[in-house]
Amino acid sequence: GLSRWQKCVAARVILFAASQLGKPYEWGATGPDAFDCSGLTMMAYRSAGIAIPRTSQQQWAAGPYVPPGQEQPGDLVFFPGSDGTAQAPGHVGVVLGGGLMIDAPYTGAPVRVDVIAGEVGFTRPAAGG
């Protein structure tokens, strides 16, 4: 499980991401009116007082990694990049639990709740608390 502090961070991250539902996807956007996937996750963590890198590849590299099946709400979930590998994930979302995430999926689709499928792994930026 998560520590009390980690649960508070997760709640703030999820509340921020949920408050962006319906906003448009825009490549390179970090809000407040539009987001790309990693812009959404970066700003969600910033709202909880945690600085994480800007891009999905940098966020993945920053870890720390969480074994599959041990992910918790507020963790980040990553998906293969254009090369199809886990080395440079091209998409990231915020884990809600129950196999769901909040993400900014792609041009033409708003920030929304999606099913987690085909992920390459999970990280827990709040692991230090």
Side-chain angles (χ1 to χ4, degrees):
L2 301 176
S3 71
R4 209 173 293 158
W5 179 81
Q6 289 170 324
K7 288 178 183 176
C8 288
V9 168
R12 290 189 70 149
V13 166
I14 290 168
L15 283 170
F16 179 90
S19 72
Q20 310 313 311
L21 289 169
K23 290 187 178 178
Y25 175 96
E26 181 182 319
W27 189 86
T30 58
D33 300 321
F35 293 89
D36 68 7
C37 65
S38 56
L40 177 66
T41 55
M42 180 186 76
M43 296 308 287
Y45 267 89
R46 182 178 292 175
S47 77
I50 295 176
I52 64 172
R54 170 64 185 95
T55 69
S56 57
Q57 295 87 358
Q58 293 166 333
Q59 290 174 9
W60 173 251
Y65 303 104
V66 176
Q70 294 183 27
E71 68 275 4
Q72 295 288 324
D75 288 347
L76 297 181
V77 56
F78 294 85
F79 299 87
S82 57
D83 64 359
T85 73
Q87 304 312 309
H91 187 61
V92 60
V94 175
V95 174
L96 288 176
L100 299 174
M101 66 176 172
I102 295 176
D103 68 330
Y106 48 81
T107 300
V111 175
R112 65 188 188 189
V113 174
D114 274 324
V115 172
I116 295 172
E119 72 277 1
V120 297
F122 302 90
T123 66
R124 184 168 297 150

